[in-house]
Amino acid sequence: MALTVARSATRSRRPPKTPRIPKARRIKDPAVDRGYQVVNYCVLGFFTVAVLYPLIYVFSSSVSSGYAIASGKVVLWPVGLNFEAYKTIFSSPHILIGLGNSIFYAVVGAMIGTALTILAAYPLSRKDLYGRRPLMFFLLIPTLFSAGIIPNYVVVQQLGLLNTRWAIVLPAAMTVFNVIITRTFYQLNIPDELLEAGKVDGASNLRFFLSIALPLSKPIIAVNMLFYAVGQWNSWFSAMIYLTNTDLYPLQLVLREVLTLGSVNPDQVGSMSAAEFAHRQDLFNKLRYALIVVAMLPPLIAYPFVQRHFVKGALIGSLK
Amino acid sequence: MTAESVGSELTEPQRAAVELEQARATTRTAGSEHRRRSPLKRIAENWQLYLMLIPPIAYAVVFLYWPLYGLQIAFRNYNIVDGITGSPWVGLQYLQQFVTSYQFWPVLKNTLILNIYELFALFPLPVILALLLNSVRNAAYRRGVQLITYAPHFISTVVLVGMMVMLFSPNGGIVNQGIGLLGHSSVDFFASPTIFRNMYVWSGAWQTLGWSAIIYLAALAGVDPQLHEAAKMDGANILRRIWHIDFPAVIPVTITLLILNMGSMLSSGFEKVLLMQTPLNLSASEVLDTYTYRVGLASTVPQFSYATAIGLFRSVFALILLLLANWLARRVSRSNSLF
């Protein structure tokens, strides 16, 4: 009470100012709105934590001591920090081969896929392409009706691709969905006027594509590269059915053996002796976490760089 | 009167307008002339574009259409030595064998339950998430939520299932440790058919919710903010504004995506189901695709024709669902259907 009196006293003592025109006053939100915002922030926050927590937990476990994991001491942050699991991974020939193969499949797959997609999408974006609709439909039919595993397997077999790297890269090379996104990108970003101007200047279609359309395609090339690379990086099923040579296995397939089959071949995790058994059990626990981190890190690192492109241009147009 | 004499009498913007009009007239005649030309000429005109199309079309022929041609395996008694065309026709024998087998109903039931559960549980959530995200005013908070919730989309199925196996492990997994703290005995999450369905669907929510919301966010970005301001002036609170302004804006996208989802309903999540399958949850986890794989490739005596017949059954079923959904969407509103 005394405080309010004092305050009003100070206020009244101030010299009267010249009346000011109030700045554009913000209308106060109704109570419902404020309540909604609180609930909204909480719900989104909860969901974000729920998504993030397993990722942090896996990462923490991969750098904790095997004992701490087994006894349940790792809850959020690493306990008994050590990087033994990573050292083991990067000294295991089996895993390194898988890593190398995955990089190969991702890079080659991304290049072939992006090239095919651009070559399909640019002509299909052109209004003056005769037979544009039938051609698009030609590409769309297989997405509506799939042949299934066996006919695909037979094709790979007949092409003589079984047990070669091409069996992984080629059948999954182009995705029609990406062609549609890319085509829409061209429709939105290369106006007819630009093409007319190019024609007036005497540029041929190829010339126009190479010196005008292609330089404008950087964002969509990045998006395609990411989609195809991530697709190849994450795939394992085609490798499982088309490959018997373990030297060609991608990392995901190596990972599957270690993770879901729950067994590990001693020579897969490096050297060990019988005396090291307890230690090995410990290490094996952690190794699975570390392998997960290694397998999921590259796409997670790559995607924020490309994120703004697909959020802005590509996906907005894809449904129009 | 020559063009120059006209030009000299006109002001600068007027002259520009006339020039523009003249240019338009030229392109118009060029356009109609274009339409009159024969297809062959029009192809010849853009031959370089057709040249560009050769590699992707060749890809489609080999890797998308050749397998469709191979579907006839389902109607033949396929063996590798004779190849597709050399193997004898057997008609509908294999389709009949599948439809009358004791596995038919359980497998079909599992497939439908799993996919319908997933569709109904997960379809509304991205819409809600997008509506919530859209009304966040703090840009940094919004961007942070998006960055984190998109991330699992880029994680592979193997990694996802691997994480689940470890987090939900009955001996020492973090989830069972939590259950232990609450005083319950540990649960073997991968051994129960009922839990399998929940695990499958809700791990899918974890992985795809953020990503699926993008498309709705894009639709919401097209909403005119003036609508919101006007409604605010009229005293509408935020819930009413979301319901009457934002929600109608996402409905067309929602319907289109619903059609697409129904079309791919029977084939979604095959790899994840296969990875999550254990002998103990098989009664809920054996779906059309895993069954095809089991009899076609994983068995010691691969039955190519039988497996192809099952795959064909699935594809026809999926196509019917897609056409049905599309027909329904068209009845609701013409512009919403896919084709």
Side-chain angles (χ1 to χ4, degrees):
Chain A
M1 196 61 210
L3 206 69
T4 38
V5 171
R7 254 197 211 151
S8 58
T10 30
R11 206 173 285 158
S12 63
R13 235 180 282 136
R14 265 192 217 137
K17 281 178 184 168
T18 48
R20 271 186 315 180
I21 302 158
K23 284 182 194 166
R25 227 187 300 146
R26 246 184 83 194
I27 303 167
K28 212 172 172 193
D29 290 339
V32 183
D33 288 23
R34 273 172 287 152
Y36 168 84
Q37 287 300 349
V38 172
V39 174
N40 187 7
Y41 276 67
C42 290
V43 170
L44 289 179
F46 174 77
F47 179 57
T48 310
V49 170
V51 167
L52 199 56
Y53 177 73
L55 300 176
I56 293 179
Y57 177 80
V58 166
F59 178 75
S60 296
S61 297
S62 74
V63 291
S64 296
S65 75
Y67 171 74
I69 301 169
S71 56
K73 282 188 179 135
V74 181
V75 176
L76 183 65
W77 301 119
V79 177
L81 194 71
N82 75 63
F83 297 95
E84 206 182 356
Y86 289 95
K87 273 181 211 148
T88 316
I89 285 179
F90 289 107
S91 62
S92 151
H94 195 67
I95 292 167
L96 282 182
I97 287 173
L99 200 61
N101 285 334
S102 276
I103 293 171
F104 175 85
Y105 296 137
V107 171
V108 175
M111 288 195 312
I112 296 178
T114 309
L116 283 175
T117 306
I118 302 269
L119 287 178
Y122 174 71
L124 288 172
S125 77
R126 288 274 299 262
K127 289 195 187 95
D128 55 344
L129 185 85
Y130 181 76
R132 181 166 79 124
R133 283 176 63 89
L135 281 168
M136 197 62 228
F137 209 64
F138 175 81
L139 288 183
L140 273 174
I141 289 173
T143 63
L144 301 177
F145 192 85
S146 71
I149 309 171
I150 307 293
N152 280 306
Y153 180 85
V154 171
V155 166
V156 172
Q157 192 181 44
Q158 289 184 332
L159 288 170
L161 297 179
L162 280 187
N163 235 345
T164 67
R165 289 182 198 278
W166 298 114
I168 307 304
V169 175
L170 288 181
M174 188 179 86
T175 314
V176 177
F177 182 68
N178 290 359
V179 174
I180 297 174
I181 289 181
T182 312
R183 186 193 62 155
T184 313
F185 174 89
Y186 281 127
Q187 281 170 349
L188 294 176
N189 286 280
I190 303 194
D192 292 345
E193 288 78 11
L194 198 60
L195 180 67
E196 291 298 330
K199 276 185 179 167
V200 169
D201 289 344
S204 68
N205 277 317
L206 208 59
R207 180 67 199 259
F208 181 80
F209 170 71
L210 289 176
S211 47
I212 295 174
L214 210 54
L216 287 172
S217 322
K218 274 176 205 147
I220 202 69
I221 288 178
V223 169
N224 273 307
M225 286 276 192
L226 178 83
F227 279 4
Y228 285 119
V230 169
Q232 281 291 353
W233 181 269
N234 284 346
S235 97
W236 60 279
F237 186 70
S238 57
M240 188 172 84
I241 60 177
Y242 297 141
L243 301 180
T244 46
N245 182 358
T246 50
D247 285 345
L248 302 179
Y249 274 15
L251 184 66
Q252 301 289 340
L253 204 55
V254 179
L255 191 63
R256 173 179 169 270
E257 288 181 345
V258 179
L259 289 176
T260 60
L261 301 186
S263 67
V264 68
N265 197 335
D267 56 73
Q268 283 176 9
V269 277
S271 59
M272 69 150 269
S273 68
E276 281 179 315
F277 189 75
H279 176 70
R280 198 187 84 97
Q281 278 303 103
D282 247 23
L283 186 64
F284 180 57
N285 253 335
K286 283 170 40 172
L287 194 69
R288 304 202 288 179
Y289 288 106
L291 257 176
I292 283 184
V293 174
V294 171
M296 74 180 169
L297 223 48
L300 287 188
I301 290 173
Y303 106 87
F305 292 103
V306 196
Q307 189 200 16
R308 63 198 168 97
H309 294 313
F310 53 65
V311 174
K312 276 209 166 163
L315 282 175
I316 291 175
S318 68
L319 275 182
K320 282 181 183 162
Chain B
M1 210 188 273
T2 62
E4 268 151 72
S5 66
V6 174
S8 58
E9 286 160 22
L10 295 172
T11 59
E12 193 61 34
Q14 276 173 325
R15 188 162 49 221
V18 166
E19 273 166 10
L20 192 68
E21 194 43 52
Q22 281 169 346
R24 275 197 191 135
T26 341
T27 46
R28 258 205 300 274
T29 45
S32 57
E33 190 187 325
H34 191 85
R35 238 169 281 135
R36 260 184 274 116
R37 258 182 246 158
S38 74
L40 223 63
K41 264 193 183 157
R42 286 164 66 186
I43 291 176
E45 201 170 72
N46 284 329
W47 63 273
Q48 286 170 328
L49 295 183
Y50 293 93
L51 202 67
M52 285 174 73
L53 276 169
I54 290 175
I57 296 285
Y59 166 81
V61 168
V62 174
F63 290 105
L64 303 178
Y65 278 89
W66 194 354
L68 288 179
Y69 168 79
L71 271 174
Q72 55 177 295
I73 294 173
F75 307 105
R76 289 174 185 268
N77 197 352
Y78 179 76
N79 62 75
I80 295 181
V81 186
D82 295 332
I84 294 179
T85 44
S87 305
W89 289 97
V90 292
L92 297 174
Q93 185 199 320
Y94 287 108
L95 271 174
Q96 204 176 0
Q97 188 189 335
F98 173 56
V99 174
T100 53
S101 85
Y102 71 99
Q103 289 274 33
F104 177 69
W105 286 112
V107 168
L108 189 64
K109 198 184 89 187
N110 283 339
T111 312
L112 288 174
I113 291 180
L114 203 61
N115 285 290
I116 291 173
Y117 179 18
E118 188 182 31
L119 188 68
F120 281 91
L122 298 193
F123 196 76
L125 294 178
V127 183
I128 295 170
L129 181 66
L131 289 172
L132 291 179
L133 267 173
N134 191 53
S135 55
V136 169
R137 290 211 193 109
N138 184 332
Y141 188 76
R142 187 187 149 123
R143 220 175 301 127
V145 171
Q146 282 181 294
L147 190 77
I148 291 168
T149 55
Y150 291 171
H153 173 79
F154 291 91
I155 291 173
S156 75
T157 329
V158 176
V159 167
L160 175 70
V161 176
M163 278 168 67
M164 283 160 70
V165 167
M166 283 186 296
L167 299 181
F168 290 88
S169 154
N171 16 319
I174 184 88
V175 176
N176 268 315
Q177 281 173 23
I179 292 174
L181 283 179
L182 295 173
H184 300 284
S185 55
S186 66
V187 181
D188 190 349
F189 285 90
F190 281 87
S192 148
T194 359
I195 299 180
F196 166 81
R197 291 197 178 113
N198 291 321
M199 293 275 285
Y200 174 82
V201 169
W202 296 107
S203 64
W206 181 82
Q207 186 166 27
T208 59
L209 220 60
W211 184 259
S212 313
I214 288 184
I215 211 105
Y216 302 109
L217 280 171
L220 285 170
V223 173
D224 188 349
Q226 287 185 347
L227 283 176
H228 275 281
E229 274 159 32
K232 221 171 170 178
M233 287 316 227
D234 291 341
N237 67 37
I238 188 147
L239 295 174
R240 293 201 131 242
R241 278 184 278 131
I242 287 178
W243 181 248
H244 291 291
I245 300 172
D246 287 342
F247 192 59
V250 293
I251 283 182
V253 190
T254 312
I255 294 178
T256 313
L257 285 184
L258 196 61
I259 302 170
L260 282 172
N261 278 15
M262 284 188 77
S264 61
M265 194 165 110
L266 296 182
S267 54
S268 59
F270 159 58
E271 294 193 356
K272 201 165 110 192
V273 176
L274 194 64
L275 286 167
M276 287 176 67
Q277 219 169 44
T278 65
L280 293 168
N281 64 27
L282 210 59
S283 65
S285 65
E286 189 77 306
V287 294
L288 280 169
D289 277 320
T290 55
Y291 186 57
T292 313
Y293 168 70
R294 198 171 309 287
V295 298
L297 292 172
S299 110
T300 42
V301 193
Q303 300 168 265
F304 273 37
S305 290
Y306 185 48
T308 310
I310 303 169
L312 183 65
F313 174 87
R314 197 217 61 187
S315 294
V316 171
F317 202 89
L319 188 68
I320 292 172
L321 277 179
L322 182 79
L323 295 176
L324 204 71
N326 191 56
W327 174 79
L328 268 174
R330 197 187 287 218
R331 295 217 57 171
V332 176
S333 148
R334 242 195 118 65
S335 60
N336 285 336
S337 64
L338 271 182
F339 40 80

